Amino acid sequence: MRQTIRRFSIAAVAVLATGGVLMLGSSLVGAQSYAVLTEDQKQHIVENCVSIKSSLNQLHATDALLRVNRGQMYESLSSKLMDRFNDRLGSNNLDNKAMLTVTSNYRQQLNEFRSHYISYEQKVSAALNVDCTKKPIEFHALLQEARTLRNTVHTDVIKLHQIIDDYRSSVGTFLLNYERLSQ
Amino acid sequence: MEEPIIPPKVATADEALGFWGRHRFSLLLIITVSIALVLTVISMAIYNSSGAAQLDLSRPGYRSVSDQVDSGTTIDGFSATGPVNVDTIKEFMKLYDEQANKAKAVDAFSGDPLNPAVLEFGNQGTKE
């Protein structure tokens, strides 16, 4: 019994020590990524906290509107055009494999766009919840992360536009083949 | 000397029920509130993680833009049934081109509004 308790104690101490080391490490890494602001810059954030947050709030709202409007457009393009054209070709026993592949890529990219936007929005919300007069470094770090995520969302948009063009090319190729076979 | 006869103690209806039986109304309230709290926490977690929160423009921070949602962009759907010939393919291509141009018209999320040099430091520049 004593041995069991001793083993349990050793294991608990080991777990706690490992956790402590990991937490210390992560806080050091965090501190390193935060340590990019000069005193002047920190002061500037503290002094202009209200106006920075006001601009951020505005961006937060306009980006949400953009997400809703663009998302609706991208969603409709696949559900009302791509899927229906693919189904129509399929029901006529025509080869729609190329279009199905592009549609699948499009849907995958649309999912990435959605999930990246969620991450971006959550990061901006987190930054808005930070009191930048008291925690300018944390606020700055969150904004930097949000900036990176916003760029990722933009990359997703570019890829979606590329896939929209790819689908058009597939349909064009299909039409050429169809005309050639019909003659 | 005769011992006094003690009449057997008759349990009242309340005593016969036991502790939880006597407090069943309180128990009902506790269980009801607990279930409501758990369900609320679960639904809020789903609301936040599913992306519904990001699309909900009725939230307080989004009121300024909630009336600007583009409700007029309805795409004329292409029928999923019917024959396929050159004309129907060309008709689809025309419809697709129109909508694709609309979709690509906006280079969404471009620019760099979160650049610290612009947002935080007003072109002072950063060390990054």
Side-chain angles (χ1 to χ4, degrees), chain A residues 87-148:
Chain A
D87 287 348
R88 189 148 169 179
L89 294 185
S91 63
N92 283 277
N93 297 319
L94 293 164
D95 181 18
N96 61 358
K97 276 179 197 162
M99 272 75 82
L100 282 175
T101 307
V102 180
T103 308
S104 165
N105 291 342
Y106 182 81
R107 191 145 291 135
Q108 201 178 332
Q109 194 57 50
L110 196 53
N111 286 336
E112 296 218 342
F113 166 72
R114 285 194 201 106
S115 79
H116 287 147
Y117 181 81
I118 291 173
S119 307
Y120 160 68
E121 195 277 338
Q122 285 172 344
K123 205 56 85 178
V124 174
S125 295
L128 284 169
N129 287 329
V130 170
D131 183 356
C132 44
T133 57
K134 289 177 184 162
K135 296 176 180 172
I137 302 175
E138 191 182 332
F139 179 73
H140 175 75
L142 285 168
L143 280 188
Q144 288 303 90
E145 287 172 42
R147 184 187 179 198
T148 311

Side-chain angles (χ1 to χ4, degrees), chain A residues 25-154:
Chain A
S26 64
S27 66
L28 283 175
V29 169
Q32 271 183 346
S33 67
Y34 283 5
V36 289
L37 287 176
T38 62
E39 281 304 315
D40 279 353
Q41 287 170 334
K42 272 189 230 170
Q43 194 59 32
H44 197 272
I45 292 176
V46 171
E47 283 168 5
N48 296 289
C49 180
V50 176
S51 66
I52 296 169
K53 275 206 169 180
S54 168
S55 304
L56 192 60
N57 255 319
Q58 216 173 333
L59 180 72
H60 189 216
T62 51
D63 275 354
L65 181 67
L66 197 59
R67 162 68 183 88
V68 170
N69 286 340
R70 290 292 97 198
Q72 208 168 276
M73 181 67 85
Y74 295 142
E75 194 79 49
S76 303
L77 202 64
S78 67
S79 64
K80 291 189 176 173
L81 291 176
M82 292 178 179
D83 285 343
R84 292 189 187 182
F85 187 66
N86 296 344
D87 287 348
R88 189 148 169 179
L89 294 185
S91 63
N92 283 277
N93 297 319
L94 293 164
D95 181 18
N96 61 358
K97 276 179 197 162
M99 272 75 82
L100 282 175
T101 307
V102 180
T103 308
S104 165
N105 291 342
Y106 182 81
R107 191 145 291 135
Q108 201 178 332
Q109 194 57 50
L110 196 53
N111 286 336
E112 296 218 342
F113 166 72
R114 285 194 201 106
S115 79
H116 287 147
Y117 181 81
I118 291 173
S119 307
Y120 160 68
E121 195 277 338
Q122 285 172 344
K123 205 56 85 178
V124 174
S125 295
L128 284 169
N129 287 329
V130 170
D131 183 356
C132 44
T133 57
K134 289 177 184 162
K135 296 176 180 172
I137 302 175
E138 191 182 332
F139 179 73
H140 175 75
L142 285 168
L143 280 188
Q144 288 303 90
E145 287 172 42
R147 184 187 179 198
T148 311
L149 287 167
R150 197 177 191 276
N151 285 335
T152 312
V153 175
H154 181 234

Side-chain angles (χ1 to χ4, degrees), chain B residues 10-22:
Chain B
V10 179
T12 61
D14 262 10
E15 284 170 343
L17 284 171
F19 179 79
W20 288 116
R22 273 179 279 133

Side-chain angles (χ1 to χ4, degrees), chain B residues 47-61:
Chain B
Y47 174 74
N48 281 315
S49 64
S50 67
Q54 282 72 30
L55 298 175
D56 183 3
L57 295 185
S58 64
R59 289 201 290 168

